[in-house]
Amino acid sequence: MVLERHPQNPIIRPQDVQPTRPDFEVIGAFNCGATLFNDEVILLLRVAERPKEVIPGVVRCPHLNPHGELTILEIPRHDDRYDFGDSRFVLNRQTGELWLTSISHLRLARSHDGVHFTIAEQAWLYAEQTLESFGVEDARITHLGGQYYVNYTAVSRYGIATGLACTTDFESIQREGIIFPPSNRDVVIFPQKMNGMYVCYHRPMPGMFGGYHIWMATSTDLKHWGEHRVVLEAKPDGWESGRVGGGAPPIYTEAGWLSIYHAADRHDHYCLGAFLTPHDHPETIIRISREPIFSPQAPYETEGFFGNVVFTCGAVAQGDLLRMYYGAADECVALAEGSLADLTASLEAV
Amino acid sequence: MVLERHPQNPIIRPQDVQPTRPDFEVIGAFNCGATLFNDEVILLLRVAERPKEVIPGVVRCPHLNPHGELTILEIPRHDDRYDFGDSRFVLNRQTGELWLTSISHLRLARSHDGVHFTIAEQAWLYAEQTLESFGVEDARITHLGGQYYVNYTAVSRYGIATGLACTTDFESIQREGIIFPPSNRDVVIFPQKMNGMYVCYHRPMPGMFGGYHIWMATSTDLKHWGEHRVVLEAKPDGWESGRVGGGAPPIYTEAGWLSIYHAADRHDHYCLGAFLTPHDHPETIIRISREPIFSPQAPYETEGFFGNVVFTCGAVAQGDLLRMYYGAADECVALAEGSLADLTASLEAV
């Protein structure tokens, strides 16, 4: 395997992160966007919190109410209109309405060595509007034209959408609205224009029918997207049979753009794969990993909040050194390192 | 009821339409876009066809193969990997893969009186690419800047998406690609820019969770869309409890933009409603119908291929006369007429 786990993994755990309020506890610090900023590695962690106080027989669901205030809905476990089978959410069987049992925000962490991180004490981006009322998740950071664009999953009772924010200094933040309506996440934006257009990969989750594939879109301004087409499909069998989706924003190499993506099988066993596209043709995969480049093996990946998950939202390249930050078991942040050239060379021609 | 059924309804029936090939039969001519063009009313019908020859014990599913050729997949009814419960499609229970039992295209019809139509003998727009391999459906026509923009539902095994085409003369057609990825349909484009932007309503069908609501988006070029937000929600109960979606492209009136939309309850009983938005604020509904403005009542609406459906994709206003063309029972085209002022006045303040 080209990418080697760092000996200090996991490098960030939930207990390393201070909750945003004293009555909340952090249950996950994972799926982080990553970029180089000045001489530091910057991560935007997904921090998942839940109300600390446990009330026997009651499930508590944090969310923004219509006035934008953080509120906790309490649902008694004996209310048989609801399905409590998955601890991550509560489902109203009749209406299909869903509530999450935790709420996520984005948290800044910074490091000079890429391994030891100083984690901010408060949120960098917190839910603040209707389409984020269940939280904001899974940031990807793209450095483009002097700006850092941060796309993130905006979750609400309207579904799973993708929002965009923008910063130059990681202090002031400008929200740019919802760029993909539900259900769509795992958006990764290329750090350069191609053929005069901005380009991204995105991953619709179609209702009715249709699989969970990686699509491409173009834009003139990063806010309005079109020219949608399929780039990489989930497969009928094997490690990519449940879904594929963008992971780290594509990395420029001599050989082409390197994309590290995630895949899950029908049992929600998540792995990572990689593919290469020509410099001017992001729609055409020329080399790809036939087998996963990275699979859950370490205990912090196979066990935990949601075991058997490795999921990257960002990697940083310095010369030939690739540092891939990834969420392990939907609980903590881990790091794997390797040679960019070796990883690219390991891919097979399509 | 403001809108009165035309006495010659249904004005177009499947038997009025010639199939595109001798071995096919037309089973539906319905859900048509409508516009005024020179001194005629133009309709773009959805024409659904299926293979004529019936083979006992075999279900036949027309589609484009990966080479773009029209092909018929034959699935024996005794193959218990498949679910044949809904005659409109065949579902692979294991993979979730779906095949349609008919394929739709768009067909031009023209009329001087708006009632008697001459129907073209061949398709106006036929499936021709991967994302249309199960057919093209439900056109909406918007006259804008000297062009007629035709958006339509592009159906394939990748799901239900929305494509855009463009014409100046209804003869030459330019395809503009997929403007909304799956699952998204019922797109209606406003015939004017607002605040410097093109505007549409669209209707995502989110996978995972989230309802079937009407959303708004903006664009600088009609091909790339962003700034997504919710405009009208499906309701917990009643005639709008299953879904709402755009119907006819919005019509300019003195009082604001008039939108006729469709709604269905949880039993797929389809009705039409209407709302009004200010001239510069398509996101803000100021007046709306509390009850349906039009419901299935006539036999050609309550019975037929899929009964209890009235569904409009286009209406034409001449002075105060509103002519609403609508699909009845997913089978034929009908016409309802009324006063634009009366319809607008019937809406209640929000």
Side-chain angles (χ1 to χ4, degrees), chain A residues 50-51 53-62 72-79 82-91 99-102:
Chain A
R50 70 179 172 202
E53 187 196 358
V54 176
I55 305 177
V58 172
V59 176
R60 307 179 79 204
C61 301
I72 296 167
L73 176 72
E74 303 190 332
I75 306 176
R77 284 195 179 273
H78 62 70
D79 189 336
Y82 294 92
D83 181 344
F84 301 93
D86 187 318
S87 64
R88 294 173 297 176
F89 55 82
V90 178
L91 179 71
W99 298 92
L100 302 192
T101 54
S102 65

PDB file of all heavy atoms in Angstrom, chain A residues 50-51 53-62 72-79 82-91 99-102:
ATOM      1  N   ARG A  50     -23.524  16.463  20.695  1.00  0.00           N
ATOM      2  CA  ARG A  50     -24.895  16.142  21.095  1.00  0.00           C
ATOM      3  C   ARG A  50     -25.121  16.643  22.525  1.00  0.00           C
ATOM      4  O   ARG A  50     -24.144  16.860  23.268  1.00  0.00           O
ATOM      5  CB  ARG A  50     -25.156  14.647  20.997  1.00  0.00           C
ATOM      6  CG  ARG A  50     -24.420  13.829  22.024  1.00  0.00           C
ATOM      7  CD  ARG A  50     -24.739  12.341  21.889  1.00  0.00           C
ATOM      8  NE  ARG A  50     -23.860  11.590  22.769  1.00  0.00           N
ATOM      9  CZ  ARG A  50     -23.570  10.311  22.617  1.00  0.00           C
ATOM     10  NH1 ARG A  50     -24.075   9.622  21.610  1.00  0.00           N
ATOM     11  NH2 ARG A  50     -22.773   9.705  23.468  1.00  0.00           N
ATOM     12  N   PRO A  51     -26.383  16.818  22.892  1.00  0.00           N
ATOM     13  CA  PRO A  51     -26.677  17.281  24.250  1.00  0.00           C
ATOM     14  C   PRO A  51     -26.092  16.289  25.253  1.00  0.00           C
ATOM     15  O   PRO A  51     -26.232  15.079  25.089  1.00  0.00           O
ATOM     16  CB  PRO A  51     -28.202  17.294  24.303  1.00  0.00           C
ATOM     17  CG  PRO A  51     -28.633  17.370  22.874  1.00  0.00           C
ATOM     18  CD  PRO A  51     -27.591  16.637  22.094  1.00  0.00           C
ATOM     19  N   GLU A  53     -26.653  15.994  28.657  1.00  0.00           N
ATOM     20  CA  GLU A  53     -27.565  15.420  29.644  1.00  0.00           C
ATOM     21  C   GLU A  53     -28.389  14.298  29.031  1.00  0.00           C
ATOM     22  O   GLU A  53     -29.043  14.465  28.005  1.00  0.00           O
ATOM     23  CB  GLU A  53     -28.509  16.513  30.161  1.00  0.00           C
ATOM     24  CG  GLU A  53     -29.377  16.066  31.302  1.00  0.00           C
ATOM     25  CD  GLU A  53     -30.537  17.048  31.504  1.00  0.00           C
ATOM     26  OE1 GLU A  53     -30.605  18.062  30.783  1.00  0.00           O
ATOM     27  OE2 GLU A  53     -31.373  16.787  32.367  1.00  0.00           O
ATOM     28  N   VAL A  54     -28.362  13.161  29.659  1.00  0.00           N
ATOM     29  CA  VAL A  54     -29.142  12.029  29.178  1.00  0.00           C
ATOM     30  C   VAL A  54     -30.429  11.952  30.005  1.00  0.00           C
ATOM     31  O   VAL A  54     -30.397  11.923  31.226  1.00  0.00           O
ATOM     32  CB  VAL A  54     -28.345  10.724  29.316  1.00  0.00           C
ATOM     33  CG1 VAL A  54     -29.205   9.528  28.915  1.00  0.00           C
ATOM     34  CG2 VAL A  54     -27.084  10.784  28.458  1.00  0.00           C
ATOM     35  N   ILE A  55     -31.561  11.953  29.313  1.00  0.00           N
ATOM     36  CA  ILE A  55     -32.845  11.785  30.003  1.00  0.00           C
ATOM     37  C   ILE A  55     -33.336  10.391  29.661  1.00  0.00           C
ATOM     38  O   ILE A  55     -33.536  10.075  28.486  1.00  0.00           O
ATOM     39  CB  ILE A  55     -33.865  12.847  29.541  1.00  0.00           C
ATOM     40  CG1 ILE A  55     -33.281  14.252  29.735  1.00  0.00           C
ATOM     41  CG2 ILE A  55     -35.184  12.691  30.281  1.00  0.00           C
ATOM     42  CD1 ILE A  55     -34.181  15.362  29.235  1.00  0.00           C
ATOM     43  N   PRO A  56     -33.513   9.524  30.669  1.00  0.00           N
ATOM     44  CA  PRO A  56     -33.885   8.139  30.371  1.00  0.00           C
ATOM     45  C   PRO A  56     -35.173   8.080  29.542  1.00  0.00           C
ATOM     46  O   PRO A  56     -36.138   8.794  29.832  1.00  0.00           O
ATOM     47  CB  PRO A  56     -34.099   7.520  31.756  1.00  0.00           C
ATOM     48  CG  PRO A  56     -33.335   8.389  32.698  1.00  0.00           C
ATOM     49  CD  PRO A  56     -33.388   9.769  32.118  1.00  0.00           C
ATOM     50  N   GLY A  57     -35.150   7.298  28.485  1.00  0.00           N
ATOM     51  CA  GLY A  57     -36.352   7.083  27.685  1.00  0.00           C
ATOM     52  C   GLY A  57     -36.663   8.208  26.710  1.00  0.00           C
ATOM     53  O   GLY A  57     -37.721   8.211  26.098  1.00  0.00           O
ATOM     54  N   VAL A  58     -35.730   9.164  26.571  1.00  0.00           N
ATOM     55  CA  VAL A  58     -35.981  10.294  25.672  1.00  0.00           C
ATOM     56  C   VAL A  58     -34.793  10.461  24.721  1.00  0.00           C
ATOM     57  O   VAL A  58     -33.645  10.434  25.154  1.00  0.00           O
ATOM     58  CB  VAL A  58     -36.191  11.597  26.469  1.00  0.00           C
ATOM     59  CG1 VAL A  58     -36.262  12.804  25.531  1.00  0.00           C
ATOM     60  CG2 VAL A  58     -37.466  11.504  27.304  1.00  0.00           C
ATOM     61  N   VAL A  59     -35.088  10.613  23.432  1.00  0.00           N
ATOM     62  CA  VAL A  59     -34.034  10.912  22.459  1.00  0.00           C
ATOM     63  C   VAL A  59     -34.071  12.404  22.169  1.00  0.00           C
ATOM     64  O   VAL A  59     -35.149  12.981  21.986  1.00  0.00           O
ATOM     65  CB  VAL A  59     -34.238  10.086  21.166  1.00  0.00           C
ATOM     66  CG1 VAL A  59     -33.199  10.467  20.128  1.00  0.00           C
ATOM     67  CG2 VAL A  59     -34.157   8.605  21.481  1.00  0.00           C
ATOM     68  N   ARG A  60     -32.899  13.024  22.159  1.00  0.00           N
ATOM     69  CA  ARG A  60     -32.833  14.482  22.019  1.00  0.00           C
ATOM     70  C   ARG A  60     -32.162  14.846  20.696  1.00  0.00           C
ATOM     71  O   ARG A  60     -31.069  14.386  20.392  1.00  0.00           O
ATOM     72  CB  ARG A  60     -32.066  15.066  23.210  1.00  0.00           C
ATOM     73  CG  ARG A  60     -32.674  14.583  24.534  1.00  0.00           C
ATOM     74  CD  ARG A  60     -31.914  15.141  25.713  1.00  0.00           C
ATOM     75  NE  ARG A  60     -32.313  16.519  25.962  1.00  0.00           N
ATOM     76  CZ  ARG A  60     -31.553  17.416  26.599  1.00  0.00           C
ATOM     77  NH1 ARG A  60     -30.350  17.083  27.016  1.00  0.00           N
ATOM     78  NH2 ARG A  60     -31.993  18.635  26.817  1.00  0.00           N
ATOM     79  N   CYS A  61     -32.843  15.692  19.938  1.00  0.00           N
ATOM     80  CA  CYS A  61     -32.410  16.020  18.572  1.00  0.00           C
ATOM     81  C   CYS A  61     -32.140  17.518  18.445  1.00  0.00           C
ATOM     82  O   CYS A  61     -33.080  18.323  18.368  1.00  0.00           O
ATOM     83  CB  CYS A  61     -33.483  15.592  17.581  1.00  0.00           C
ATOM     84  SG  CYS A  61     -33.852  13.819  17.669  1.00  0.00           S
ATOM     85  N   PRO A  62     -30.856  17.920  18.413  1.00  0.00           N
ATOM     86  CA  PRO A  62     -30.531  19.345  18.283  1.00  0.00           C
ATOM     87  C   PRO A  62     -30.742  19.829  16.844  1.00  0.00           C
ATOM     88  O   PRO A  62     -30.458  19.096  15.899  1.00  0.00           O
ATOM     89  CB  PRO A  62     -29.045  19.396  18.663  1.00  0.00           C
ATOM     90  CG  PRO A  62     -28.509  18.027  18.385  1.00  0.00           C
ATOM     91  CD  PRO A  62     -29.656  17.069  18.520  1.00  0.00           C
ATOM     92  N   ILE A  72     -33.612  21.938  21.105  1.00  0.00           N
ATOM     93  CA  ILE A  72     -33.520  20.484  21.231  1.00  0.00           C
ATOM     94  C   ILE A  72     -34.917  19.890  21.261  1.00  0.00           C
ATOM     95  O   ILE A  72     -35.720  20.206  22.145  1.00  0.00           O
ATOM     96  CB  ILE A  72     -32.726  20.095  22.487  1.00  0.00           C
ATOM     97  CG1 ILE A  72     -31.278  20.596  22.331  1.00  0.00           C
ATOM     98  CG2 ILE A  72     -32.743  18.575  22.685  1.00  0.00           C
ATOM     99  CD1 ILE A  72     -30.471  20.548  23.597  1.00  0.00           C
ATOM    100  N   LEU A  73     -35.205  19.076  20.270  1.00  0.00           N
ATOM    101  CA  LEU A  73     -36.485  18.372  20.234  1.00  0.00           C
ATOM    102  C   LEU A  73     -36.344  17.082  21.030  1.00  0.00           C
ATOM    103  O   LEU A  73     -35.400  16.330  20.831  1.00  0.00           O
ATOM    104  CB  LEU A  73     -36.852  18.054  18.782  1.00  0.00           C
ATOM    105  CG  LEU A  73     -38.136  17.238  18.587  1.00  0.00           C
ATOM    106  CD1 LEU A  73     -39.378  18.076  18.884  1.00  0.00           C
ATOM    107  CD2 LEU A  73     -38.215  16.676  17.169  1.00  0.00           C
ATOM    108  N   GLU A  74     -37.291  16.852  21.955  1.00  0.00           N
ATOM    109  CA  GLU A  74     -37.235  15.635  22.762  1.00  0.00           C
ATOM    110  C   GLU A  74     -38.322  14.680  22.306  1.00  0.00           C
ATOM    111  O   GLU A  74     -39.507  15.037  22.287  1.00  0.00           O
ATOM    112  CB  GLU A  74     -37.392  15.989  24.240  1.00  0.00           C
ATOM    113  CG  GLU A  74     -36.315  16.986  24.670  1.00  0.00           C
ATOM    114  CD  GLU A  74     -36.245  17.205  26.179  1.00  0.00           C
ATOM    115  OE1 GLU A  74     -37.277  17.040  26.845  1.00  0.00           O
ATOM    116  OE2 GLU A  74     -35.142  17.546  26.656  1.00  0.00           O
ATOM    117  N   ILE A  75     -37.935  13.479  21.936  1.00  0.00           N
ATOM    118  CA  ILE A  75     -38.895  12.483  21.440  1.00  0.00           C
ATOM    119  C   ILE A  75     -38.838  11.264  22.358  1.00  0.00           C
ATOM    120  O   ILE A  75     -37.790  10.629  22.473  1.00  0.00           O
ATOM    121  CB  ILE A  75     -38.574  12.068  19.991  1.00  0.00           C
ATOM    122  CG1 ILE A  75     -38.483  13.313  19.079  1.00  0.00           C
ATOM    123  CG2 ILE A  75     -39.627  11.093  19.461  1.00  0.00           C
ATOM    124  CD1 ILE A  75     -38.075  13.004  17.647  1.00  0.00           C
ATOM    125  N   PRO A  76     -39.953  10.956  23.031  1.00  0.00           N
ATOM    126  CA  PRO A  76     -39.953   9.779  23.921  1.00  0.00           C
ATOM    127  C   PRO A  76     -39.806   8.493  23.115  1.00  0.00           C
ATOM    128  O   PRO A  76     -40.426   8.342  22.064  1.00  0.00           O
ATOM    129  CB  PRO A  76     -41.334   9.835  24.591  1.00  0.00           C
ATOM    130  CG  PRO A  76     -41.937  11.146  24.203  1.00  0.00           C
ATOM    131  CD  PRO A  76     -41.255  11.621  22.979  1.00  0.00           C
ATOM    132  N   ARG A  77     -39.021   7.584  23.648  1.00  0.00           N
ATOM    133  CA  ARG A  77     -38.774   6.323  22.946  1.00  0.00           C
ATOM    134  C   ARG A  77     -40.022   5.467  22.810  1.00  0.00           C
ATOM    135  O   ARG A  77     -40.080   4.585  21.953  1.00  0.00           O
ATOM    136  CB  ARG A  77     -37.706   5.511  23.692  1.00  0.00           C
ATOM    137  CG  ARG A  77     -36.314   6.031  23.476  1.00  0.00           C
ATOM    138  CD  ARG A  77     -35.279   5.005  23.918  1.00  0.00           C
ATOM    139  NE  ARG A  77     -33.940   5.514  23.668  1.00  0.00           N
ATOM    140  CZ  ARG A  77     -33.302   5.379  22.519  1.00  0.00           C
ATOM    141  NH1 ARG A  77     -33.865   4.738  21.518  1.00  0.00           N
ATOM    142  NH2 ARG A  77     -32.088   5.886  22.365  1.00  0.00           N
ATOM    143  N   HIS A  78     -41.023   5.713  23.669  1.00  0.00           N
ATOM    144  CA  HIS A  78     -42.238   4.895  23.563  1.00  0.00           C
ATOM    145  C   HIS A  78     -43.187   5.397  22.472  1.00  0.00           C
ATOM    146  O   HIS A  78     -44.227   4.790  22.219  1.00  0.00           O
ATOM    147  CB  HIS A  78     -42.958   4.826  24.917  1.00  0.00           C
ATOM    148  CG  HIS A  78     -43.426   6.168  25.416  1.00  0.00           C
ATOM    149  ND1 HIS A  78     -44.453   6.866  24.822  1.00  0.00           N
ATOM    150  CD2 HIS A  78     -42.968   6.943  26.425  1.00  0.00           C
ATOM    151  CE1 HIS A  78     -44.624   8.024  25.446  1.00  0.00           C
ATOM    152  NE2 HIS A  78     -43.749   8.093  26.412  1.00  0.00           N
ATOM    153  N   ASP A  79     -42.851   6.510  21.815  1.00  0.00           N
ATOM    154  CA  ASP A  79     -43.708   7.045  20.753  1.00  0.00           C
ATOM    155  C   ASP A  79     -43.509   6.195  19.502  1.00  0.00           C
ATOM    156  O   ASP A  79     -42.522   6.345  18.777  1.00  0.00           O
ATOM    157  CB  ASP A  79     -43.344   8.509  20.483  1.00  0.00           C
ATOM    158  CG  ASP A  79     -44.348   9.179  19.559  1.00  0.00           C
ATOM    159  OD1 ASP A  79     -45.024   8.465  18.784  1.00  0.00           O
ATOM    160  OD2 ASP A  79     -44.461  10.420  19.609  1.00  0.00           O
ATOM    161  N   TYR A  82     -42.335   6.769  15.735  1.00  0.00           N
ATOM    162  CA  TYR A  82     -40.940   6.985  15.349  1.00  0.00           C
ATOM    163  C   TYR A  82     -40.136   5.693  15.348  1.00  0.00           C
ATOM    164  O   TYR A  82     -40.390   4.792  16.129  1.00  0.00           O
ATOM    165  CB  TYR A  82     -40.273   7.998  16.296  1.00  0.00           C
ATOM    166  CG  TYR A  82     -40.862   9.379  16.172  1.00  0.00           C
ATOM    167  CD1 TYR A  82     -41.909   9.791  16.982  1.00  0.00           C
ATOM    168  CD2 TYR A  82     -40.375  10.268  15.214  1.00  0.00           C
ATOM    169  CE1 TYR A  82     -42.461  11.059  16.860  1.00  0.00           C
ATOM    170  CE2 TYR A  82     -40.922  11.539  15.079  1.00  0.00           C
ATOM    171  CZ  TYR A  82     -41.962  11.930  15.909  1.00  0.00           C
ATOM    172  OH  TYR A  82     -42.502  13.178  15.774  1.00  0.00           O
ATOM    173  N   ASP A  83     -39.143   5.652  14.467  1.00  0.00           N
ATOM    174  CA  ASP A  83     -38.206   4.536  14.364  1.00  0.00           C
ATOM    175  C   ASP A  83     -36.871   5.005  14.951  1.00  0.00           C
ATOM    176  O   ASP A  83     -36.294   5.992  14.477  1.00  0.00           O
ATOM    177  CB  ASP A  83     -38.059   4.172  12.883  1.00  0.00           C
ATOM    178  CG  ASP A  83     -37.117   3.009  12.657  1.00  0.00           C
ATOM    179  OD1 ASP A  83     -36.353   2.663  13.579  1.00  0.00           O
ATOM    180  OD2 ASP A  83     -37.144   2.445  11.547  1.00  0.00           O
ATOM    181  N   PHE A  84     -36.414   4.305  15.997  1.00  0.00           N
ATOM    182  CA  PHE A  84     -35.166   4.679  16.666  1.00  0.00           C
ATOM    183  C   PHE A  84     -34.039   3.689  16.339  1.00  0.00           C
ATOM    184  O   PHE A  84     -33.030   3.631  17.031  1.00  0.00           O
ATOM    185  CB  PHE A  84     -35.377   4.707  18.195  1.00  0.00           C
ATOM    186  CG  PHE A  84     -36.444   5.665  18.637  1.00  0.00           C
ATOM    187  CD1 PHE A  84     -37.758   5.241  18.820  1.00  0.00           C
ATOM    188  CD2 PHE A  84     -36.147   7.003  18.862  1.00  0.00           C
ATOM    189  CE1 PHE A  84     -38.751   6.122  19.224  1.00  0.00           C
ATOM    190  CE2 PHE A  84     -37.138   7.890  19.277  1.00  0.00           C
ATOM    191  CZ  PHE A  84     -38.438   7.451  19.454  1.00  0.00           C
ATOM    192  N   GLY A  85     -34.206   2.914  15.262  1.00  0.00           N
ATOM    193  CA  GLY A  85     -33.296   1.807  14.964  1.00  0.00           C
ATOM    194  C   GLY A  85     -31.850   2.212  14.704  1.00  0.00           C
ATOM    195  O   GLY A  85     -30.934   1.475  15.009  1.00  0.00           O
ATOM    196  N   ASP A  86     -31.624   3.382  14.116  1.00  0.00           N
ATOM    197  CA  ASP A  86     -30.272   3.872  13.852  1.00  0.00           C
ATOM    198  C   ASP A  86     -30.001   5.021  14.823  1.00  0.00           C
ATOM    199  O   ASP A  86     -30.731   6.020  14.828  1.00  0.00           O
ATOM    200  CB  ASP A  86     -30.177   4.355  12.395  1.00  0.00           C
ATOM    201  CG  ASP A  86     -28.747   4.724  11.987  1.00  0.00           C
ATOM    202  OD1 ASP A  86     -28.032   5.359  12.795  1.00  0.00           O
ATOM    203  OD2 ASP A  86     -28.349   4.377  10.864  1.00  0.00           O
ATOM    204  N   SER A  87     -28.949   4.875  15.648  1.00  0.00           N
ATOM    205  CA  SER A  87     -28.742   5.857  16.720  1.00  0.00           C
ATOM    206  C   SER A  87     -28.411   7.251  16.187  1.00  0.00           C
ATOM    207  O   SER A  87     -28.450   8.225  16.925  1.00  0.00           O
ATOM    208  CB  SER A  87     -27.622   5.384  17.649  1.00  0.00           C
ATOM    209  OG  SER A  87     -26.402   5.328  16.930  1.00  0.00           O
ATOM    210  N   ARG A  88     -28.103   7.353  14.888  1.00  0.00           N
ATOM    211  CA  ARG A  88     -27.738   8.667  14.328  1.00  0.00           C
ATOM    212  C   ARG A  88     -28.945   9.542  14.026  1.00  0.00           C
ATOM    213  O   ARG A  88     -28.816  10.737  13.833  1.00  0.00           O
ATOM    214  CB  ARG A  88     -26.915   8.480  13.054  1.00  0.00           C
ATOM    215  CG  ARG A  88     -25.564   7.835  13.304  1.00  0.00           C
ATOM    216  CD  ARG A  88     -24.864   7.517  12.013  1.00  0.00           C
ATOM    217  NE  ARG A  88     -25.616   6.547  11.228  1.00  0.00           N
ATOM    218  CZ  ARG A  88     -25.282   6.141  10.010  1.00  0.00           C
ATOM    219  NH1 ARG A  88     -24.229   6.664   9.421  1.00  0.00           N
ATOM    220  NH2 ARG A  88     -26.005   5.243   9.367  1.00  0.00           N
ATOM    221  N   PHE A  89     -30.144   8.893  13.941  1.00  0.00           N
ATOM    222  CA  PHE A  89     -31.322   9.704  13.625  1.00  0.00           C
ATOM    223  C   PHE A  89     -32.604   9.055  14.125  1.00  0.00           C
ATOM    224  O   PHE A  89     -32.609   7.873  14.512  1.00  0.00           O
ATOM    225  CB  PHE A  89     -31.417   9.996  12.121  1.00  0.00           C
ATOM    226  CG  PHE A  89     -31.406   8.782  11.248  1.00  0.00           C
ATOM    227  CD1 PHE A  89     -32.560   8.041  11.032  1.00  0.00           C
ATOM    228  CD2 PHE A  89     -30.235   8.378  10.622  1.00  0.00           C
ATOM    229  CE1 PHE A  89     -32.553   6.923  10.222  1.00  0.00           C
ATOM    230  CE2 PHE A  89     -30.217   7.243   9.811  1.00  0.00           C
ATOM    231  CZ  PHE A  89     -31.381   6.521   9.612  1.00  0.00           C
ATOM    232  N   VAL A  90     -33.667   9.831  14.120  1.00  0.00           N
ATOM    233  CA  VAL A  90     -35.000   9.348  14.469  1.00  0.00           C
ATOM    234  C   VAL A  90     -35.889   9.609  13.264  1.00  0.00           C
ATOM    235  O   VAL A  90     -35.865  10.706  12.698  1.00  0.00           O
ATOM    236  CB  VAL A  90     -35.550  10.107  15.696  1.00  0.00           C
ATOM    237  CG1 VAL A  90     -36.959   9.620  16.028  1.00  0.00           C
ATOM    238  CG2 VAL A  90     -34.628   9.938  16.884  1.00  0.00           C
ATOM    239  N   LEU A  91     -36.646   8.605  12.876  1.00  0.00           N
ATOM    240  CA  LEU A  91     -37.440   8.700  11.660  1.00  0.00           C
ATOM    241  C   LEU A  91     -38.919   8.591  11.989  1.00  0.00           C
ATOM    242  O   LEU A  91     -39.335   7.666  12.690  1.00  0.00           O
ATOM    243  CB  LEU A  91     -37.035   7.557  10.717  1.00  0.00           C
ATOM    244  CG  LEU A  91     -37.766   7.445   9.380  1.00  0.00           C
ATOM    245  CD1 LEU A  91     -37.368   8.572   8.450  1.00  0.00           C
ATOM    246  CD2 LEU A  91     -37.464   6.099   8.742  1.00  0.00           C
ATOM    247  N   TRP A  99     -35.066  13.409  12.064  1.00  0.00           N
ATOM    248  CA  TRP A  99     -34.324  14.305  12.954  1.00  0.00           C
ATOM    249  C   TRP A  99     -32.976  13.662  13.274  1.00  0.00           C
ATOM    250  O   TRP A  99     -32.915  12.447  13.487  1.00  0.00           O
ATOM    251  CB  TRP A  99     -35.100  14.523  14.259  1.00  0.00           C
ATOM    252  CG  TRP A  99     -36.429  15.172  14.036  1.00  0.00           C
ATOM    253  CD1 TRP A  99     -37.625  14.543  13.840  1.00  0.00           C
ATOM    254  CD2 TRP A  99     -36.692  16.575  13.959  1.00  0.00           C
ATOM    255  NE1 TRP A  99     -38.624  15.461  13.649  1.00  0.00           N
ATOM    256  CE2 TRP A  99     -38.086  16.721  13.717  1.00  0.00           C
ATOM    257  CE3 TRP A  99     -35.898  17.727  14.066  1.00  0.00           C
ATOM    258  CZ2 TRP A  99     -38.687  17.973  13.585  1.00  0.00           C
ATOM    259  CZ3 TRP A  99     -36.502  18.954  13.937  1.00  0.00           C
ATOM    260  CH2 TRP A  99     -37.878  19.073  13.697  1.00  0.00           C
ATOM    261  N   LEU A 100     -31.918  14.443  13.332  1.00  0.00           N
ATOM    262  CA  LEU A 100     -30.604  13.912  13.687  1.00  0.00           C
ATOM    263  C   LEU A 100     -30.399  14.004  15.200  1.00  0.00           C
ATOM    264  O   LEU A 100     -30.883  14.934  15.846  1.00  0.00           O
ATOM    265  CB  LEU A 100     -29.481  14.682  12.983  1.00  0.00           C
ATOM    266  CG  LEU A 100     -29.496  14.741  11.454  1.00  0.00           C
ATOM    267  CD1 LEU A 100     -28.164  15.278  10.928  1.00  0.00           C
ATOM    268  CD2 LEU A 100     -29.773  13.378  10.845  1.00  0.00           C
ATOM    269  N   THR A 101     -29.640  13.053  15.740  1.00  0.00           N
ATOM    270  CA  THR A 101     -29.379  13.046  17.184  1.00  0.00           C
ATOM    271  C   THR A 101     -28.096  13.806  17.539  1.00  0.00           C
ATOM    272  O   THR A 101     -27.715  13.869  18.706  1.00  0.00           O
ATOM    273  CB  THR A 101     -29.277  11.597  17.698  1.00  0.00           C
ATOM    274  OG1 THR A 101     -28.297  10.903  16.915  1.00  0.00           O
ATOM    275  CG2 THR A 101     -30.612  10.879  17.557  1.00  0.00           C
ATOM    276  N   SER A 102     -27.422  14.346  16.520  1.00  0.00           N
ATOM    277  CA  SER A 102     -26.272  15.217  16.786  1.00  0.00           C
ATOM    278  C   SER A 102     -26.299  16.345  15.769  1.00  0.00           C
ATOM    279  O   SER A 102     -27.052  16.292  14.797  1.00  0.00           O
ATOM    280  CB  SER A 102     -24.962  14.427  16.665  1.00  0.00           C
ATOM    281  OG  SER A 102     -24.779  13.989  15.340  1.00  0.00           O
TER     282      SER A 102
END
